[in-house]
Amino acid sequence: MFNGIIYNLGVITNIRRSTRYVKGSLVLEIRSNVKFNKNDIGESVCCDGVCLTLIKIKKRSFLFYLSKETIKRSNFKYAKIGKVINLEKSLLHGQKISGHYVQGHVDTTAKVININIIEKTWVIKLKLTNNVLNKSLIDKASISINGVSLTISKVYKNYFEINVIPHTLKLTNLKNLKQNDVVNVEIDIFSKYITKIKK
């Protein structure tokens, strides 16, 4: 479990097909200043909003396993060496929750339709890849974009808006977004469950 408050970034240094795991899966190598030790192997780490398993620690980088399902649902299918990603270690019991509950179970991706800068705040319009999930989007509800806890400012028929303040831009990779970029989206867990109950 995570809370979507990002303090660390990483850079993808290698992407290779997995030979030890399921065919079609990947092993991702990320360089970062995040501190891990040998006891952390097997832990869950939120990488751009995706809960990945730490499988190996090198001197200056870490290896994560990417399953076929994760690749299918996330923007890691477009991952390239040199890409900067958001990193968050899993929460500890009793730790303060500043954002919202993020599971790292990405629901779908979204395309950046437009970015409008108003007084240093980015107003970003996004369109979900899976339109069926539009019914779970609610004004002022929480949402995870590339692992960052944000608030939906407005929901329209075919897209939704988020506001990203300068502090969040400074600490995350959202400042690198451009029109037509694809981001990982995890809809608020409570919104998903309530939508399911209403069926």
Side-chain angles (χ1 to χ4, degrees):
M1 186 71 75
F2 313 92
N3 71 352
I5 303 300
I6 307 299
Y7 293 107
N8 297 287
L9 297 173
V11 178
I12 297 175
T13 58
N14 192 22
I15 305 168
R16 59 180 172 81
R17 296 289 174 185
S18 172
T19 55
R20 292 182 56 191
Y21 300 97
V22 178
K23 184 178 180 181
S25 60
L26 295 174
V27 172
L28 194 71
E29 184 171 351
I30 298 173
R31 185 179 71 247
S32 175
N33 292 326
V34 179
K35 302 298 182 184
F36 289 108
N37 57 55
K38 290 183 179 180
N39 292 331
D40 292 324
I41 292 177
E43 293 277 329
S44 296
V45 180
C46 194
C47 301
D48 252 9
V50 182
C51 179
L52 297 180
T53 301
L54 177 64
I55 60 173
K56 187 175 181 179
I57 299 173
K58 291 188 174 181
K59 188 174 183 180
R60 292 192 176 92
S61 61
F62 316 99
L63 272 61
F64 297 92
Y65 171 69
L66 276 167
S67 69
K68 291 174 66 176
E69 176 68 11
T70 297
I71 296 167
K72 178 183 175 181
R73 283 184 179 262
S74 73
N75 67 2
F76 278 113
K77 65 174 70 69
Y78 310 117
K80 295 181 180 179
I81 293 173
K83 181 183 178 182
V84 176
I85 65 169
N86 299 317
L87 295 174
E88 182 188 357
K89 297 177 76 171
S90 55
L91 294 172
L92 298 173
H93 179 69
Q95 187 174 338
K96 180 173 68 174
I97 306 294
S98 296
H100 74 282
Y101 286 117
V102 176
Q103 294 180 298
H105 303 162
V106 169
D107 296 298
T108 186
T109 56
K111 180 179 285 189
V112 176
I113 303 302
N114 183 54
I115 300 175
N116 189 21
I117 302 175
I118 302 175
E119 296 180 355
K120 298 184 179 180
T121 293
W122 286 24
V123 180
I124 306 176
K125 291 182 180 179
L126 295 158
K127 180 178 174 60
L128 293 179
T129 304
N130 184 351
N131 293 329
V132 174
L133 294 172
N134 283 341
K135 58 189 175 184
S136 296
L137 299 176
I138 303 169
D139 287 2
K140 309 308 176 187
S142 296
I143 194 166
S144 170
I145 304 294
N146 277 358
V148 182
S149 175
L150 295 166
T151 301
I152 299 173
S153 55
K154 186 69 176 177
V155 177
Y156 298 89
K157 184 178 180 180
N158 296 314
Y159 64 90
F160 66 98
E161 284 184 348
I162 55 171
N163 288 14
V164 188
I165 63 173
H167 180 75
T168 303
L169 290 169
K170 181 180 178 181
L171 294 177
T172 70
N173 67 1
L174 299 184
K175 61 180 171 288
N176 300 327
L177 289 180
K178 304 181 297 296
Q179 189 174 11
N180 294 324
D181 279 352
V182 176
V183 297
N184 293 321
V185 176
E186 181 184 329
I187 295 167
D188 179 47
I189 184 173
F190 301 112
S191 178
K192 287 188 290 188
Y193 286 163
I194 291 171
T195 301
K196 181 73 172 179
I197 292 170
K198 286 181 176 180
K199 284 185 178 180

